[in-house]
Structures are given as C-alpha cells and as structure tokens.
Amino acid sequence: MSDHSHDVAAEVRKYMLVFGALLVGTVITVLAAKIHFGSHSINVAVALLIATVKGFLVAAYFMHLI
C-alpha cells in the first residue's frame, strides 16, 4: 500500500485562505463598481482584472491546477 500521507490541517488552511481572498475580491468588486474611473472602458477593464484574479484562484486551488 502506498503512503499518501499529508497534513489535512494545512490543506484546510490553504482552502480557507483562498476562500477569504475570494471574499475580499468580491468586496473589492462591489466597491469598484461604485467608483467612476473616467470612462466606461476603464470600469470594464478593472472589473475584468478583478474577475481574472478571482478566476485564477478558483481554477488554481479548487480545481487543483497548482
């Protein structure tokens, strides 16, 4: 039988940190939506940047791509 031991507490901590980062990202998204950055295209670019970072976190950690 192979030995696949790992620290479960460390894994849970990692997922909770990513979850917290996603919550912070959501708050930043809501706050950024209320700010007018000068033009509509800049607002869209900011929203896409935030969504890209959040999408990376989901794919990298929750879909085990890292």
Side-chain angles (χ1 to χ4, degrees):
M1 193 173 246
S2 62
D3 183 27
H4 292 286
S5 63
H6 58 279
D7 188 10
V8 174
E11 294 293 321
V12 170
R13 177 172 159 69
K14 178 175 63 172
Y15 288 131
M16 293 305 289
L17 286 173
V18 172
F19 177 68
L22 290 170
L23 285 177
V24 169
T26 300
V27 170
I28 291 171
T29 302
V30 170
L31 294 176
K34 296 180 184 215
I35 298 172
H36 182 64
F37 290 105
S39 73
H40 180 69
S41 60
I42 295 175
N43 284 31
V44 171
V46 168
L48 285 174
L49 176 68
I50 296 168
T52 301
V53 170
K54 289 170 56 179
F56 169 77
L57 287 172
V58 169
Y61 291 99
F62 294 135
M63 295 180 178
H64 306 285
L65 296 179
I66 283 188

